[in-house]
Amino acid sequence: MPLIRDGEIIADTWRVLDEGAEIPGQGDVILSLERLRNGAGQIAARAGRTGVAIENSADPGELEAHLAHLDLIALDFPAFTDGRAYSQARRLRVHFGFAGELRARGSVLADQAGFLTRVGFDTFELAGGQSLKVWNASARSMTLAYQRGYDGGQATREAVTELPAPA
Amino acid sequence: MYRYDEFDATFVRQRVKQFRGQVERRAAGELSEDEFRPLRLMNGLYLQLHAYMLRVAVPYGTLSARQMRKLAFIADSYDRGYGHFTTRQNIQYNWPRLPDVPDILGHLAEVEMHAIQTSGNCIRNVTADHWAGVAADEVEDPRPYAELMRQWSSLHPEFSFLPRKFKIAVTGSQADRAAIRYHDIGLRLKKNTQGEAGFEVFVGGGMGRTPMLAARVRDWLARDDLLTYLEAIMRVFNLHGRRDNKYKARIKILVHALGAEEFSAQVEEEFARTGAPRIMPGEGELKRIAAYFAPPGYDALRDDDPALALRLEKHKDFAGWVERNVSAHGVPGYAIVNISLKPIGGIPGDASADQMRAVADLAESFSLDEIRISHEQNLVLPNVRKRDLFAVWLSLGEHGLADANIGLASDIIACPGLDYCGLATARSIPVAQDISKRLGEPARQREIGDMKIKISGCINACGHHHAGHIGILGLEKRGREYYQITLGGSGDESASVGEIIGPGFSSENLSGAVETIVDTYVELRQNGETFLEAYRRVGPEPFKEAVYATH
Ligand code: SF4
């Protein structure tokens, strides 16, 4: 499944650590929330980068104590209609100031591109059979947005003062 | 009225183009029906019993003549020459073809309209008092805030995939004509002692199989905190609302499960954390929106019109219509005209394309180019000079729109039911027609007085039966329709949920049972009590006795 960042397919340097496996000192690994909790000391000492994948029912507040050691947080879409991870992302960015990589996994559809970007996701594991072309077309389909205080490439009314006045 | 600027126009055009692409991908098999479904729903497109249904938003119920003519054009070109006005200030077309829908949305965009989020598990069309801006009892016009919320909720990045649909209503009056306590969020605009605007906030109301009145979570929310506070509510709901059972997914269930106090505490905590970034627009933008709702150019008139007085004396029918269908306006010499879409024996809320054009013409000539849609499935001309009332009445009569039954027994709310709706368990339109014929004789229904009869074709309660003085719910048992009656519901400022009186009735017996209830009321009422007042005094017993003795 292709990994997308900034409208391009990129190589994925991260691997999800198997449940039983030893946490390696090197390399980019994604842990479960439980491994993260239990291995705090070990993780702080790692040379490689550390990420965590949480379920969409988890409280993002649980990650607060670990944020200094986290370079990636992967949030899950068990179905693309299950939108809890949008609010998890928002809390991580705004309440906890997480500045690392936010990754969308699971049932990630091209048609979500604009929404995902605006709440602060950076990378997207595109679900089965969709092309980068469709993703990018969708990501660019709306260039304007009404909501203030969100990120992403869409412009709010204040940001597009050069648009012509009403006819 | 709000007018799109280039920003709004571009936004809606881009949205149409995006949907056109999705329809094409569906046709090419690139999107499965499961994937396409939520996308089309968020563009107002349902798949019904016989065909697609397109639901178009009339934000907070306000329309211009030009927009109404476009709705008529769509009814003629893409439907069968009519449209159906709903209880949420929308209009529904029952026969569009899927490939035509992007074109229909394109036509709507030309007149600053859309079908965005009239369906799906997202924030739906924001509704408001249909007399907003003109009602004599109003504190402040709620429409600028309704428009602000329309914009804020449109394609909200965080709240487009909620556990369930989400409905917001706002009023600016003490009298509640927007049924705010039956909404997921209900807002009452008010002013503090310094004259600043703010809101009383209710959360967790709703109909459906678990009817609930919204709980008050804030007595005062400063105007500038509105969107930030709404986001806090939405975030708590999005994270914690149930997603395992669609019947338990509305916010009312969450509020009920946590208790209003705990729910409110969670919202306050979320609200306190969301200081920056700024969600509300600046003062300039609020002023820009509010300016569109400045009072139109009213003439300076005397409040009483001698010509009108004369006509009222001479024409009894006209006087009867004025008494029921005309309401007090905040400006001297003006009146609010309520147009009934409930002809005796007709389909509640249906209007033909010709009728829509007739109303558009009247709005242009006599109502400062404004029309409103009420949640009771009627139309409103909000700015009619009293001296023009007679001409308006005559013209309405020519188009079958002069029924003098606003608020009476034949002013029935009914959902489409089994005649159209894929979820229905029983028909509701024929039931409405039956009752309306039975009670609709003009002198008879005037004698009965204020009466709200509301009919739903299934437990989803789109016909608001829980809020009906007499509520009717259509169900099915072993292949036969039967109907449950509730009494004592109300959607106004004294909101209450109706109570079931007992076993249901067959479609043959139903209208007779309703008539018995009405007759019982007429007999037992004291000193001109309304049905609701009498019911609240005597309770269900006398009605039960009478109904089950005879039916
Ligand atoms: S109440 Fe039921 S039958 Fe009526 S429109 Fe709603 S879902 Fe359909």
Side-chain angles (χ1 to χ4, degrees), chain B residues 48 53 55 92 165 414-428 455-465 473-474:
Chain B
Q48 295 281 67
M53 179 271 276
R55 182 183 292 155
Q92 295 182 175
K165 60 188 169 186
C415 77
L418 200 53
D419 291 291
Y420 295 99
C421 176
L423 303 170
T425 39
R427 290 168 302 165
S428 37
I455 308 170
S456 304
C458 82
I459 195 79
N460 288 321
C462 305
H464 296 182
H465 64 275
L473 165 62

Side-chain angles (χ1 to χ4, degrees), chain A residues 56 64 80-84 86-88 90-91 94-96 109-112 114-115 118-119 130 134 138 141-150 155-158 160 163-166, chain B residues 2 4-8 10-11 14-15 18 22 25 30-31 35 38-39 150-152 154-161 231 235 238-239 243 270 273-274 276-281 285 288:
Chain A
N56 74 351
E64 202 174 0
F80 90 99
T81 49
D82 185 340
R84 279 176 275 194
Y86 291 104
S87 286
Q88 288 179 317
R90 181 75 177 160
R91 273 195 176 162
V94 175
H95 295 354
F96 306 126
L109 279 199
D111 303 278
Q112 289 163 272
F115 297 137
R118 296 204 74 221
V119 295
Q130 306 172 82
V134 172
S138 167
S141 59
M142 299 299 301
T143 63
L144 306 175
Y146 282 115
Q147 300 76 23
R148 295 160 180 91
Y150 285 79
T156 61
R157 195 186 293 278
E158 286 79 4
V160 287
L163 273 178
Chain B
Y2 189 70
Y4 282 9
D5 64 5
E6 196 61 26
F7 185 95
D8 302 299
T10 309
F11 182 92
Q14 287 183 348
R15 179 63 166 174
Q18 183 191 53
Q22 289 164 343
R25 280 162 61 215
E30 290 171 39
L31 280 172
E35 291 165 342
L39 302 175
R150 180 192 74 82
Q151 298 187 13
W152 161 80
S154 293
L155 275 61
H156 197 290
E158 188 178 343
F159 307 127
S160 287
F161 299 94
E231 290 218 1
R235 188 164 302 129
N238 193 33
L239 285 168
R243 290 175 188 261
E270 188 68 41
R273 297 194 77 140
T274 319
R278 198 182 160 86
I279 306 297
M280 272 300 270
E285 171 63 3
R288 184 190 72 87

